[in-house]
Amino acid sequence: EADIFKAHPDWQELNSTFSCEVASDGKYASPFHPEVRAALVQLMEEVAQAGPDLAGIILDCRLSLQEYLTYSEAARAAFIRAHQMDPLDISLAPRDEASYQALHTLERWRLDEVSKLVGQLSAAYRRHYPEGKVVGRGFANLYRWRGGGKNWSAQDWLNWAVEGHVDELLLECDWTAPEKEADVAQAWFGLGQVYLQQSDPSAALNAFEQALEADPENRLVRDTLGKPELRLCNFELVRPVGAPLNPAFG
């Protein structure tokens, strides 16, 4: 359909003024709405059944980079059920510990919900076409961003890979710009962590070497490559159970 939101206006995710700046960033379906999830799962199943000759499918799941979208009725109801708080009552500019914790809870919930959606879509595709690959698309330098777009996007592609929701990652970045060398290194380093999680130290080593090639002065990468336990497949970089995957997301 040209605009599915005309038939289903409640499917659209909204900002705190209950709108969405279409001119600047388009419209976004709500990943928090059960009907949206069901429709996307059905679409994924139809694609898997209709395209057996495809090598796989690319999932690009995120929210707006321009504005904070978590205020549709579906999103508010889901968050209230989960945490007994209304997103409208949570400040995006916290000034004390209580407001900071409330925002952190909201941010974590958004990330988890989008990751769950990626998992549902991946499972639906694999169920009907297990030979096909599921590729997650993301911003290579996402974990280096500060606030704003990073948190607003709710795109946690590293977690998608670690949780097994995607088989591969397609990372977007301006690879030719010299000032992006640190971003490229960060992306390769993140992939190395994923390969360690997947018990593939050889691929992890290659990813870490690519990171070092992109940013030879990156101390974290150099220290990681210097650890003998990397080759012995000692997963020192793996997060403890229950700990955040990436400190950038708390």
Side-chain angles (χ1 to χ4, degrees):
E1 297 182 36
D3 187 352
I4 196 171
F5 297 124
K6 289 184 178 180
H8 304 279
D10 59 314
W11 285 15
Q12 184 176 347
E13 195 48 64
L14 306 174
N15 60 25
S16 59
T17 62
F18 306 114
S19 64
C20 183
E21 297 297 331
V22 178
S24 64
D25 201 31
K27 298 179 180 180
Y28 288 81
S30 175
F32 317 112
H33 199 305
E35 292 181 7
V36 170
R37 293 194 180 206
L40 289 175
V41 166
Q42 180 180 350
L43 176 62
M44 191 63 60
E45 293 174 339
E46 293 173 355
V47 169
Q49 293 172 331
D53 295 331
L54 295 176
I57 194 166
I58 298 174
L59 298 180
D60 185 2
C61 297
R62 67 172 179 85
L63 290 170
S64 173
L65 297 176
Q66 306 299 323
E67 52 187 346
Y68 202 83
L69 301 180
T70 311
Y71 301 100
S72 66
E73 288 189 16
R76 292 175 60 203
F79 187 71
I80 289 172
R81 284 195 300 270
H83 297 285
Q84 293 73 55
M85 290 186 287
D86 189 331
L88 282 174
D89 296 330
I90 298 176
S91 173
L92 298 182
R95 296 179 179 276
D96 54 42
E97 182 64 21
S99 58
Y100 173 83
Q101 289 299 328
L103 179 58
H104 175 79
T105 299
L106 179 60
E107 300 285 12
R108 187 69 259 172
W109 177 80
R110 294 170 81 250
L111 289 170
D112 290 343
E113 289 301 305
V114 174
S115 292
K116 288 177 185 176
L117 174 59
V118 173
Q120 289 178 318
L121 298 179
S122 176
Y125 184 78
R126 290 166 171 167
R127 186 163 55 248
H128 293 278
Y129 187 29
E131 299 83 6
K133 286 190 174 182
V134 179
V135 180
R137 181 181 177 183
F139 297 106
N141 54 348
L142 176 74
Y143 298 101
R144 293 178 57 84
W145 294 355
R146 295 184 179 276
K150 179 191 71 177
N151 295 328
W152 295 8
S153 71
Q155 180 194 81
D156 195 3
W157 54 257
L158 185 55
N159 191 49
W160 303 347
V162 170
E163 295 295 332
H165 298 329
V166 298
D167 301 302
E168 297 180 0
L169 292 167
L170 177 63
L171 301 181
E172 177 183 348
C173 189
D174 184 359
W175 304 106
T176 60
E179 65 272 15
K180 296 296 183 180
E181 291 175 351
D183 296 336
V184 175
Q186 177 70 15
W188 278 113
F189 187 78
L191 285 175
Q193 290 180 302
V194 170
Y195 287 133
L196 283 180
Q197 288 273 14
Q198 296 175 343
S199 301
D200 191 344
S202 178
L205 183 62
N206 177 69
F208 292 140
E209 289 175 342
Q210 292 287 345
L212 187 62
E213 181 178 344
D215 187 5
E217 302 304 318
N218 191 307
R219 178 172 296 180
L220 178 60
V221 175
R222 295 177 68 88
D223 290 347
T224 300
L225 280 170
K227 292 181 178 180
E229 54 265 39
L230 174 63
R231 297 178 185 273
L232 296 175
C233 204
N234 182 322
F235 305 135
E236 183 172 304
L237 295 179
V238 175
R239 57 175 175 165
V241 175
L245 171 64
N246 192 299
F249 279 143

